[in-house]
Amino acid sequence: LPFPSPARRSTTFSLTLAEEGVARVEAFDAAGRRVRTLLSGTRPAGTTPVTWDLADDGGARLPAGLYLVRGEALGAIGTRRVLILP
């Protein structure tokens, strides 16, 4: 789970893989638009911390609201909610 959430400056969560594989972690706004790719590529087995500075791909701070972080790796998909506070 993301920590902290709600968040003001950044949030961190973990991606855990049982074996090496391709992983992708993306953030979406409430309308379903991708706002940031947080991780993309081959990751080793084990836990990888992922920190999101609550900015979009261009580096602009995102407005307050609900966002979804979607992770996909080794055929599994998971989604977590992150609430950004003003």
Side-chain angles (χ1 to χ4, degrees):
L1 295 174
F3 179 82
S5 182
R8 290 186 193 275
R9 293 186 184 99
S10 68
T11 188
T12 301
F13 43 95
S14 298
L15 174 71
T16 303
L17 301 179
E19 61 187 62
E20 180 180 290
V22 175
R24 186 168 186 86
V25 179
E26 298 173 302
F28 296 86
D29 66 14
R33 295 179 293 248
R34 187 184 57 76
V35 295
R36 181 84 179 260
T37 298
L38 301 167
L39 182 143
S40 181
T42 302
R43 305 303 309 165
T47 300
T48 299
V50 179
T51 299
W52 179 24
D53 61 3
L54 309 179
D56 66 14
D57 276 331
R61 168 89 175 160
L62 290 164
L66 181 65
Y67 293 83
L68 300 174
V69 175
R70 180 182 185 269
E72 182 176 358
L74 303 174
I77 298 171
T79 303
R80 299 287 185 258
R81 294 182 291 174
V82 174
L83 180 61
I84 296 178
L85 297 176

